[in-house]
Amino acid sequence: MYETLAKFAQTWGLLLFVLAFVLVLIYALNPRNKKKFDEAKRIPLEDEEDGNGGKRD
């Protein structure tokens, strides 16, 4: 029983993780997401305001 369950989990687990990796790769490299990623990469460079309307140091 254990060997059967372990073999099933190893085989289908590997396939599940490979499929998830491919889907994430497709999402990350999709040209439609370029604008979203370009905006996100600029977030650390933007000036932020504190809660009182002033600039943070």
Side-chain angles (χ1 to χ4, degrees):
M1 176 70 178
Y2 173 77
E3 291 83 17
T4 305
L5 186 60
K7 189 73 168 175
F8 178 80
Q10 290 171 357
T11 302
W12 291 105
L14 175 63
L15 292 176
L16 178 67
F17 281 114
V18 168
L19 178 63
F21 176 77
V22 168
L23 290 174
V24 168
L25 196 61
I26 289 170
Y27 173 76
L29 297 177
N30 190 339
R32 283 187 272 165
N33 294 327
K34 182 170 177 31
K35 182 180 177 189
K36 186 186 328 180
F37 291 142
D38 285 342
E39 291 172 0
K41 77 178 181 183
R42 289 189 200 100
I43 290 174
L45 303 175
E46 294 176 357
D47 290 331
E48 295 184 19
E49 296 182 5
D50 63 11
N52 299 325
K55 297 285 184 180
R56 268 206 276 181
D57 294 329

